[in-house]
Amino acid sequence: MLGSRDFIVAGVILYLSVFSLEEADGASFDHRPVNKSRKGICTIEVPTIDLISPEDRRGVIPRGNGSREGYSRIEICCSGWTRASHSYYECVAVCENGCENGNCTAPNVCECKRGFIKLHNNTCIPTCPIGCLHGVCTNTGLCSCNAGYLLSQDGKYCTPHCTGGCGTGGTCVGPESCACSKGFSINRDTNKCGYHCEGGCGEGTCIGPNKCSCKPGYKIQANTCTPECPKGCTNGQCTAPNRCTCKPGWNLNPAGSACVPQCSKPCLNADCVAPNKCACKNGYVPASGSENDNKCVAFCPDGCPNGVCSAPNFCICNPGFVKEFKGSNVCVRRVRRSAMHFELIPEEVLEGL
């Protein structure tokens, strides 16, 4: 017989027996089933006697249908093909390494199923339809994400992971890396996005883009929270609610509402307007001499002939002189009066007395 080689037609011996009987009767019927697919089928010629059972060989040996007498043509599975398990009349291709996730369409040739792609070693691996950025496509057709990435809820993407999220107005753009929208900024303590107030809020909380909420005792000023001093803080700085702080050379007044300057030497006829700086009062001018920088003297615009300016625009006459008239700043020599009418004596005569 032919050994281990598979025949397509399992009932070939039965066929030949029938064939011999029909041939003997002169019949020409073909009872073989129709093979719809011819893939992997090869035809060979073998001695007809090898196709007949030993008990039938004692009779007449059919001529056979081969090209030579005593030989018959039979169909077998070609090399690399084998008989289909569900049909004796079909051959299926053999893939020596198997064909997982695919169909073996020719000897050692796999055609991958939908959703799988072929590698160089003729094996089929799953593919993710839109790729698998930041991950690897697994046998399930889902992505296995790299460290720092998580699979999205729809199972299609590997998205970056930021522990605890990115806060208000933030988006996770990389492993533990947040990007903030306009009006938001990274909080260095939490590494998350929060409302951004340009310049900060001082003693307050940023509750919206450039919007501060102040603590009690503070008010919004120049987009930040600054302390309030309701009583005032003239020439000083309000450093805390109701706390006025003075600069060096200034002292807080008893009311706690203003900083007043300090002059080491008293200001005479002047006011202390800055640390160790005197400003003359109205009607007074600085006294001459560097040692008198804290002293001011009265000023008489028209001067004081024969007298001294003792107050703003007010003269005191020197001894022997009197005011020319009431309200005048001109001093004239005093004239002695007697029973004589000196007013009738010519002045040149009086000067000779």
Side-chain angles (χ1 to χ4, degrees):
M1 298 294 286
L2 293 176
S4 61
R5 199 137 188 207
D6 290 333
F7 294 109
I8 295 177
V9 183
V12 64
I13 297 177
L14 175 61
Y15 153 70
L16 289 172
S17 299
V18 173
F19 174 79
S20 61
L21 292 173
E22 289 176 343
E23 188 179 57
D25 295 337
S28 59
F29 299 102
D30 188 352
H31 296 279
R32 289 177 299 172
V34 176
N35 185 7
K36 297 180 181 179
S37 174
R38 306 302 296 172
K39 285 185 177 182
I41 297 177
C42 293
T43 302
I44 62 172
E45 291 189 3
V46 298
T48 303
I49 193 170
D50 290 342
L51 303 176
I52 302 175
S53 62
E55 58 270 18
D56 291 332
R57 292 177 186 175
R58 292 189 296 270
V60 179
I61 303 300
R63 180 182 181 281
N65 62 353
S67 59
R68 294 174 293 166
E69 186 175 353
Y71 282 82
S72 294
R73 291 191 301 274
I74 64 171
E75 293 178 343
I76 65 172
C77 291
C78 301
S79 177
W81 298 74
T82 188
R83 190 174 58 198
S85 59
H86 62 280
S87 173
Y88 288 107
Y89 305 101
E90 294 182 21
C91 295
V92 292
V94 176
C95 291
E96 295 178 358
N97 296 324
C99 192
E100 187 178 2
N101 302 319
N103 296 313
C104 190
T105 57
N108 292 320
V109 175
C110 279
E111 285 190 4
C112 298
K113 295 178 182 178
R114 185 175 182 180
F116 296 83
I117 57 173
K118 187 185 297 185
L119 295 182
H120 64 278
N121 61 357
N122 205 36
T123 58
C124 296
I125 63 171
T127 179
C128 298
I130 58 175
C132 204
L133 185 64
H134 306 305
V136 177
C137 194
T138 65
N139 289 336
T140 62
L142 297 178
C143 292
S144 176
C145 299
N146 298 337
Y149 293 84
L150 294 178
L151 191 63
S152 60
Q153 291 184 350
D154 57 13
K156 295 181 179 180
Y157 308 94
C158 286
T159 58
H161 176 63
C162 295
T163 304
C166 282
T168 305
T171 303
C172 189
V173 295
E176 305 299 341
S177 178
C178 295
C180 302
S181 304
K182 185 177 180 180
F184 299 82
S185 61
I186 287 288
N187 184 317
R188 299 304 173 189
D189 295 330
T190 62
N191 201 34
K192 303 183 188 308
C193 294
Y195 294 117
H196 176 68
C197 291
E198 194 70 32
C201 284
E203 293 296 326
T205 304
C206 189
I207 59 173
N210 288 322
K211 184 178 180 180
C212 295
S213 175
C214 299
K215 296 178 181 179
Y218 293 83
K219 63 179 180 180
I220 288 289
Q221 187 174 13
N223 291 329
T224 190
C225 294
T226 58
E228 289 186 290
C229 291
K231 295 184 294 184
C233 189
T234 307
N235 299 323
Q237 183 178 3
C238 188
T239 54
N242 290 315
R243 181 185 298 171
C244 185
T245 302
C246 300
K247 300 176 183 178
W250 299 75
N251 288 334
L252 192 64
N253 67 355
S257 60
C259 293
V260 293
Q262 297 300 303
C263 292
S264 57
K265 293 187 292 185
C267 293
L268 301 178
N269 300 319
D271 296 317
C272 186
V273 295
N276 292 319
K277 183 177 180 180
C278 296
C280 295
K281 294 182 179 181
N282 191 28
Y284 292 85
V285 295
S288 59
S290 59
E291 70 281 359
N292 294 321
D293 56 353
N294 66 319
K295 183 179 180 181
C296 294
V297 294
F299 175 64
C300 295
D302 297 325
C304 286
N306 301 314
V308 177
C309 187
S310 62
N313 201 27
F314 184 81
C315 294
I316 295 179
C317 294
N318 295 332
F321 290 86
V322 295
K323 293 289 183 73
E324 183 179 26
F325 53 84
K326 186 177 180 180
S328 173
N329 277 336
V330 178
C331 296
V332 295
R333 188 183 295 275
R334 182 188 299 273
V335 178
R336 288 173 296 179
R337 296 186 176 274
S338 64
M340 297 178 65
H341 294 281
F342 287 97
E343 66 275 10
L344 301 177
I345 300 174
E347 186 174 347
E348 58 272 15
V349 176
L350 290 174
E351 290 179 353
L353 294 177

